[in-house]
């Protein structure tokens, strides 16, 4: 994510970094660590967005073991 400062102190335009492939794109739109480093509220731990350019495309969910596990809401 890129944080572009605005004239108002502490305000930013947050631009996601899109990861493109033949299915569409994926991007993280929230990261607790990154937001914390920018001194922003970190109530959520992560939020992502994806787009599929073709009907019927499936994306996988990846299992992660402790200590890097994540709760996923689909």
């Amino acid at each position: 994510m890129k944080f572009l400062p605005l004239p108002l102190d502490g305000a930013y335009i947050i631009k996601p970094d899109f990861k493109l492939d033949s299915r569409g794109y994926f991007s993280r739109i929230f990261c607790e660590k990154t937001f914390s480093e920018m001194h922003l509220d970190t109530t959520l731990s992560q939020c992502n967005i994806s787009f599929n350019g073709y009907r019927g495309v499936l994306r996988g969910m990846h299992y992660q073991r402790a200590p890097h596990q994540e709760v996923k809401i689909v």
Side-chain angles (χ1 to χ4, degrees), residues 14-64:
I14 302 170
K15 295 189 121 191
D17 292 322
F18 292 101
K19 309 297 184 209
L20 302 169
D21 64 22
S22 62
R23 301 169 294 172
Y25 65 78
F26 177 87
S27 181
R28 179 175 291 175
I29 58 172
F30 177 84
C31 176
E32 183 178 23
K33 180 180 177 200
T34 304
F35 274 56
S36 181
E37 289 170 354
M38 298 300 295
H39 307 288
L40 299 171
D41 185 11
T42 60
T43 303
L44 294 173
S45 60
Q46 187 181 111
C47 184
N48 303 304
I49 186 169
S50 67
F51 168 79
N52 301 312
Y54 300 98
R55 184 177 292 186
V57 171
L58 298 175
R59 290 190 177 263
M61 292 191 45
H62 305 278
Y63 176 77
Q64 293 174 274

